[in-house]
């Protein structure tokens, strides 16, 4: 994956645990600043090594870490250089999710080696959304769940996200929420 | 051809549409107009809110109806630009407007994808530009991070290197004594093969010991070739781009370089690190932006101003000045202390290592700061005129010297009595007249009383410094040849170009050939 993902992991650790813990993770994963370049593509294995080492040092299950990281990613993007792009994508949850693919396509023009997921609004009623997610990767479902929770945070909504059985290709997530 | 379009569809196709009635008043408008221009109301004239360009001089848009010619509206309030064409519809004129990408870029506006028609190429273009901008931002941050990372490992290495260096020094001294003493014994034990064999074992063990010290030296980055003649102006110019990246956006670097034609003998890595350190400090002192002045100039400093200089001499002064928040006097007084930092993540080695660098290069550094006005750091380095070819002279390349018949006199200085004993005996056996001293003070007394051909002195001695002795000795006896010896050269010992250097543990053969070289000059032309 692109190094921007690694940077976000690093920032999350720095924000929540501090520099010493990050140094430990870097040592455990055998990575350094050279693996933290946003516009550089790294083998998914490097990303997995980083996630694995982070989970180990933070003594958290990988799934819990992926969920927390997904949620964190949204606030990370908001604060950093990608904030403007999030703003541009949509000002409410429904239009935002509806525009995600469009946004990722735009991003891909600059990051041609990205393997982008596709999101689709399957059903939308007030306070309840069904979102499908398809990807060439597997095992990122908890990450997606975290991202969707992060989006609820972003739009000032409280609620929950859960995966539900899907009968097409891809996976489906159910979002139920209300305004705070 | 007249096409009837439902208003809700119109809002999707052209989120920023406007319909004007026949009298030119606004009759209806799309969701983007409603959101972006909340003061617009039905019945307003379009000129009340926008400046029209690209239409007839009187602003009459009807002339454009049906043509592919575009016109532009610029909002009176926020200068937002809308671009579009004019169509005739049953109510009057339909302005098929869309937000111009320029406004998206110029202001940090709140446009969203919904302000554009689906598939509007502007969406793609804007995302592209935003991504590029975001990545550029990121790239700058990364360069700064890498520079910082490099710096902190350099600082750490520096500390490790000192410890390793001092260890190597002691170790080499002992090895030197062992080697020289076994050489002496060997000469006396010509007829005792068993003992000679034992001496060989001692010698080869010592040789292994010196291999280990060498790796310690490598670890400590101890090299005697690190200092070369550097034009500071050229170095700054060559790295200007790197420096401005470190300074970041919002911080401007002004350069004023005025030491053309001068060089200084420094470690180029040390010089670069010092500048990077100072630039990072300056940048960190200006979170809201500002400017950094990077100035070089020549200054003649009086005798005694720096170190042990006893006559006025020229220095290259590098000044790094920022317009940042400055330091309070109590912070300023500690700024050069190692491990002192006001930054939450600082390791406090930055300024301390700048000072070390300057002093080790025979110069000095000072800092001046006023709270609220900024900080200036000056690094002073001994200046010398640039040679035609700016290259370092390796120690060991002595100038030619007329030959000599009588026993050449050597002044030998080393604080280790065993080393003196072993060396003196060895040199006398080689036909030299040796005067041995255990301290620099004693050596100066000898120098005042009689002439010597060669000064052979240790560099690191308790409380004394062999290079300082050599400088004084050369002033007292200008024809004197100097050979410095040490197991460890504290970085930045300034050595004159024609001095020679012998690494401890001393190899007898190297020593004798070096002595011959000192007296006779190099055999082959350089
Ligand atoms: C400005 C914001 C965003 C940017 C710049 C961005 C960019 C990217 C990039 C470059 C990748 C590809 C990684 C690779 O293959 O190397 C990616 C993947 C992904 N993005 Fe985004 N993204 C953003 C926001 C979001 C949001 C808000 C979501 C929310 C649901 C999201 C969901 C994902 C997921 C799930 C993947 C994983 C790819 C996979 O499943 O294979 N992204 N994104």
């Amino acid at each position: 994956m692109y190094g921007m993902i690694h940077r976000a992991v690093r920032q999350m650790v720095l924000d929540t645990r501090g520099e010493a813990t990050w140094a430990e993770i870097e040592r455990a994963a055998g990575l350094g600043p050279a693996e933290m370049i946003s516009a550089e593509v790294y083998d998914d294995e490097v990303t997995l090594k980083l996630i694995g080492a982070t989970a180990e040092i933070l003594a958290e299950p990988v799934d819990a870490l992926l969920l927390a990281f997904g949620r964190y990613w949204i606030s990370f993007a908001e604060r950093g250089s990608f904030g403007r792009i999030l703003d541009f994508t949509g000002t409410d949850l429904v239009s935002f999710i509806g525009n995600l693919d469009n946004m990722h396509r735009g991003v891909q023009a600059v990051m041609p080696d990205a393997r982008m997921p596709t999101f689709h609004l399957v059903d939308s009623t007030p306070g309840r959304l069904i979102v499908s997610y398809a990807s060439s990767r597997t095992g990122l479902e908890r990450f997606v769940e975290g991202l969707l929770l992060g989006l609820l945070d972003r739009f000032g909504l409280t609620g929950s996200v859960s995966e539900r059985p899907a009968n097409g290709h891809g996976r489906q997530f159910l979002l139920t929420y209300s305004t705070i | 051809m007249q096409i009837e379009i439902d208003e809700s569809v119109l809002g999707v196709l052209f989120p920023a549409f406007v319909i004007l009635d026949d009298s030119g008043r606004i009759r209806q408008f799309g969701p983007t107009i409603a959101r972006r221009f909340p003061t617009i109301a039905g019945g307003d004239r379009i000129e009340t809110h926008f400046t029209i360009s690209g239409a007839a001089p009187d602003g009459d848009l009807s002339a454009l109806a049906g043509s592919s010619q575009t016109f532009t509206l610029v909002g009176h309030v926020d200068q937002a630009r809308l671009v579009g064409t004019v169509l005739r519809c049953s109510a009057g004129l339909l302005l098929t407007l869309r937000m111009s990408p320029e406004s998206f870029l110029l202001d940090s506006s709140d446009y969203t994808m919904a302000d554009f028609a689906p598939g509007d190429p502007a969406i793609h273009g804007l995302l592209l530009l935003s991504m590029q901008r975001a990545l550029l931002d990121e790239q700058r941050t990364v360069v700064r991070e890498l520079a910082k990372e490099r710096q902190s490992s350099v600082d750490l290495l520096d500390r490790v290197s000192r410890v390793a260096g001092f260890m190597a020094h002691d170790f080499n001294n002992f090895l030197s004594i062992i080697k020289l003493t076994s050489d002496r014994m060997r000469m006396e034990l010509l007829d005792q093969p068993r003992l000679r064999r034992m001496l060989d074992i001692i010698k080869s063990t010592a040789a292994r010991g010196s291999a280990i010290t060498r790796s310690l030296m490598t670890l400590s980055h101890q090299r005697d070739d690190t200092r070369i003649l550097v034009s500071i102006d050229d170095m700054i110019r060559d790295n200007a781009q790197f420096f401005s990246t470190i300074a970041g956006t919002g911080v401007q670097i002004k350069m004023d370089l005025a030491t053309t034609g001068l060089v200084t003998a420094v470690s180029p890595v040390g010089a670069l690190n010092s500048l990077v350190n100072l630039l990072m400090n300056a940048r960190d002192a200006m979170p809201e932006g500002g400017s950094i002045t990077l100035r070089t100039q020549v200054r003649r400093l009086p005798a005694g101003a720096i170190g042990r200089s006893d006559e006025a001499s020229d220095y290259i002064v590098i000044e790094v000045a920022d317009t940042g928040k400055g330091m309070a006097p109590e912070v300023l007084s500690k700024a050069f202390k190692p491990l002192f930092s006001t930054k939450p993540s600082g390791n406090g080695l930055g300024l301390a290592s700048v000072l070390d660098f300057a002093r080790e290069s025979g110069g000095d550094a000072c800092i001046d700061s006023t709270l609220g006005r900024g900080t200036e750091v000056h690094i002073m380095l001994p200046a010398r005129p640039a040679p035609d070819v700016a290259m370092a002279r390796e120690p060991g390349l002595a100038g030619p010297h007329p030959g000599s018949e009588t026993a050449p006199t050597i002044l030998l200085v080393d604080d280790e009595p065993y080393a003196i004993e072993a060396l003196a005996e060895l040199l006398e056996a080689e036909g030299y007249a040796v005067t041995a001293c255990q301290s620099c003070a004693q050596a100066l007394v000898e120098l005042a009383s009689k002439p010597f051909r060669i000064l052979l002195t240790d560099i690191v001695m308790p409380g004394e410094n062999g290079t300082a002795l050599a400088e004084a000795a050369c002033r007292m006896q200008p024809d004197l040849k100097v050979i410095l010896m040490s197991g460890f050269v504290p970085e930045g010992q300034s050595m004159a170009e024609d001095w020679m250097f012998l690494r401890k543990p001393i190899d007898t053969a190297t020593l004798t050939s070096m002595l011959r070289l000192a007296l006779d000059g190099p055999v082959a032309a350089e």
Side-chain angles (χ1 to χ4, degrees):
Chain A
M1 285 215 198
Y2 273 93
M4 58 191 274
I5 305 293
H6 301 180
R7 291 180 73 77
V9 173
R10 182 182 68 163
Q11 200 55 49
M12 179 174 77
V13 174
L14 290 178
D15 284 1
T16 55
R17 307 292 181 105
E19 276 188 49
T21 308
W22 176 249
E24 231 178 301
I25 292 171
E26 272 194 331
R27 263 199 304 279
L31 305 177
E35 279 76 32
M36 299 293 144
I37 300 170
S38 280
E40 190 79 25
V41 188
Y42 304 96
D43 202 280
D44 274 10
E45 220 163 274
V46 178
T47 312
L48 288 179
K49 213 159 47 172
L50 178 60
I51 297 283
T54 308
E56 192 186 310
I57 302 288
L58 301 189
E60 275 182 38
V62 170
D63 272 356
L65 178 73
L66 280 175
L67 185 95
F69 175 55
R71 195 165 188 169
Y72 178 84
W73 161 258
I74 302 293
S75 66
F76 169 79
E78 265 170 11
R79 280 181 286 142
S81 328
F82 301 110
R84 184 66 195 93
I85 294 171
L86 289 181
D87 293 345
F88 183 61
T89 304
T91 46
D92 63 279
L93 183 65
V94 174
S95 70
F96 189 98
I97 293 179
N99 283 331
L100 255 179
D101 284 8
N102 215 349
M103 180 268 277
H104 270 139
R105 264 197 298 281
V107 171
Q108 191 153 28
V110 184
M111 305 179 120
D113 295 320
R115 284 153 56 196
M116 295 300 192
T118 52
F119 288 92
H120 180 68
L121 265 179
V122 178
D123 191 36
S124 162
T125 50
R128 185 175 177 279
L129 291 183
I130 296 175
V131 179
S132 75
Y133 154 72
S135 162
S136 60
R137 298 185 173 93
T138 52
L140 293 181
E141 289 71 28
R142 297 291 79 74
F143 174 55
V144 174
E145 212 174 296
L147 284 165
L148 295 171
L149 280 171
L151 287 181
L152 292 184
D153 296 341
R154 173 171 168 80
F155 294 112
L157 306 167
T158 48
S160 63
V161 177
S162 57
E163 195 175 349
R164 49 170 253 156
N167 43 12
H169 73 292
R171 319 285 284 235
Q172 285 195 359
F173 294 86
L174 171 69
L175 284 72
T176 49
Y177 57 89
S178 59
T179 43
I180 297 173
Chain B
M1 178 177 65
Q2 192 95 353
I3 305 171
E4 285 303 321
I5 301 177
D6 184 77
E7 190 196 320
S8 61
V9 176
L10 197 58
V12 172
L13 284 179
F14 305 106
F17 81 87
V18 171
I19 293 179
L20 301 181
D21 64 18
D22 290 334
S23 63
R25 290 181 185 279
I26 296 174
R27 203 185 141 126
Q28 240 178 308
F29 44 85
T32 296
I33 298 287
R35 213 167 53 76
R36 292 289 311 159
F37 307 95
T39 55
I40 293 183
D44 289 352
R45 295 202 64 84
I46 191 108
E47 303 87 331
T48 315
H49 300 280
F50 298 99
T51 306
I52 306 171
S53 62
D58 60 356
D60 179 16
L61 288 165
S62 63
L64 299 179
S67 81
S68 59
Q69 198 183 328
T70 58
F71 68 98
T72 305
L73 298 182
V74 180
H76 288 164
V77 179
D78 65 356
Q79 304 298 306
R81 295 162 80 85
L82 296 158
V83 182
T85 52
V86 186
L87 294 175
R88 213 169 272 289
C89 64
S90 54
L93 295 178
L94 166 65
L95 313 184
T96 62
L97 294 162
R98 61 189 187 89
M99 303 302 308
S100 155
E102 273 165 73
S103 4
F104 176 85
L105 291 174
L106 293 179
D107 57 355
S108 48
S109 65
D110 55 353
Y111 296 116
T112 77
M113 280 194 207
D115 290 328
F116 298 87
D120 187 331
I123 293 182
H124 211 77
L126 291 176
L127 277 169
L128 200 88
L129 287 166
S130 299
M131 265 314 278
Q132 258 166 357
R133 248 205 241 177
L135 288 180
L136 218 66
D137 259 13
E138 295 260 320
Q139 216 173 342
R140 286 197 192 97
T141 320
V142 171
V143 170
R144 270 198 301 278
E145 273 169 13
L146 288 176
K148 236 179 199 153
E149 189 73 20
R150 179 171 166 276
Q151 202 63 32
S152 67
S153 21
V154 165
D155 291 335
L156 205 75
L157 247 174
D158 205 51
R159 280 197 283 178
V160 172
S161 118
R162 272 159 219 250
V163 176
F166 285 123
M167 280 172 64
H169 165 251
D170 288 353
F171 204 45
N172 274 331
N173 263 348
F174 296 132
L175 285 174
S176 206
I177 294 168
I178 294 171
K179 271 178 100 172
L180 292 170
T181 310
S182 49
D183 280 348
R184 274 166 73 200
M185 285 172 75
R186 212 170 183 283
M187 286 195 276
E188 285 178 16
L189 298 173
L190 287 173
D191 51 348
Q192 300 192 42
R194 226 169 57 85
L195 288 179
R196 284 178 58 120
R197 169 89 195 103
M198 279 164 69
L199 279 177
D200 286 343
I201 296 174
I202 296 177
K203 251 190 101 170
S204 73
T205 314
R208 250 183 293 157
S210 25
I212 298 173
T213 7
R214 239 187 313 279
S215 58
L216 204 57
M217 316 275 267
T218 320
L219 178 68
S220 82
H221 275 211
Q222 261 299 305
R223 294 190 308 253
D224 37 6
D225 58 355
T226 47
R227 295 211 296 127
I228 59 171
L229 297 181
V230 172
S231 152
I232 295 291
D233 286 9
D234 287 350
M235 187 197 77
I236 292 177
R237 265 187 226 108
D238 291 347
N239 287 288
Q241 192 56 44
F242 175 54
F243 291 164
S244 80
T245 307
I246 288 172
T249 41
V251 174
Q252 191 201 355
I253 298 191
K254 297 179 192 158
M255 290 210 254
D256 177 8
L257 307 178
T259 64
T260 318
L262 291 177
V263 291
T264 182
V266 293
S267 142
V269 179
L272 188 62
N273 281 336
S274 297
L275 281 174
V276 168
N277 248 324
L278 295 180
L279 290 172
M280 287 197 301
N281 283 347
R283 185 198 113 81
D284 290 347
M286 300 184 289
E288 264 92 58
S291 71
I292 298 176
T293 306
L294 194 49
R295 181 177 293 131
T296 62
Q297 61 195 91
V298 198
R299 204 179 295 159
R300 173 154 288 243
L301 296 180
I306 288 181
R308 50 174 192 274
S309 63
D310 47 15
E311 51 189 272
S313 40
D314 286 341
Y315 286 80
I316 293 176
V317 182
I318 310 172
E319 175 189 327
V320 180
D322 65 53
T323 54
K325 46 188 188 247
M327 295 184 205
E330 63 275 15
V331 175
L332 189 60
S333 66
K334 285 187 277 187
F336 273 131
K337 292 237 167 72
L339 307 178
F340 176 78
S341 177
T342 55
K343 295 181 220 163
S345 61
N347 58 14
L349 282 168
L351 275 177
S353 70
V354 171
L355 184 64
D356 281 353
F357 160 76
R359 294 205 172 145
E360 284 166 0
S361 309
D364 208 344
C366 62
I367 185 165
D368 189 15
S369 185
T370 315
L371 251 191
R373 279 225 249 119
T375 302
E376 274 179 27
V377 178
H378 297 244
I379 302 177
M380 276 93 40
L381 299 168
R384 37 169 126 168
D388 287 342
V389 182
M391 55 168 266
R393 289 248 346 208
E394 290 277 336
L397 298 176
H401 188 277
S404 150
E405 298 82 40
T406 53
T409 46
I410 295 185
L411 179 60
L412 168 65
V413 189
D414 198 314
D415 61 303
E416 281 288 347
Y418 293 134
I420 289 206
E421 197 184 315
L423 272 172
E425 202 178 294
L426 199 107
L427 294 172
E428 277 162 3
E430 290 282 324
Y432 294 94
V434 181
T435 304
C437 299
Q438 245 178 278
S439 71
C440 296
Q442 201 186 335
L444 287 170
V445 175
E446 294 292 344
L447 281 162
S449 68
K450 60 176 182 253
F452 291 93
R453 298 286 302 280
I454 295 173
L455 170 68
L456 176 62
T457 177
D458 192 13
I459 298 183
V460 186
M461 292 176 278
E464 293 183 314
N465 179 328
T467 48
L469 170 67
E471 278 171 16
C474 289
R475 274 194 299 273
M476 294 164 79
Q477 303 189 9
D479 287 336
L480 191 72
K481 297 290 165 194
V482 172
I483 302 177
L484 295 165
M485 47 185 181
S486 183
F488 164 71
V489 193
E491 228 182 287
Q493 287 293 317
S494 47
M495 294 191 205
E497 283 183 40
D498 56 354
W499 293 356
M500 289 191 256
F501 177 74
L502 183 63
R503 184 171 285 294
K504 282 184 176 179
I506 292 168
D507 178 71
T508 313
T510 315
L511 172 61
T512 46
S513 71
M514 206 178 255
L515 287 169
R516 242 168 281 138
L517 187 73
L519 294 175
D520 306 335
V523 182
E526 218 184 293

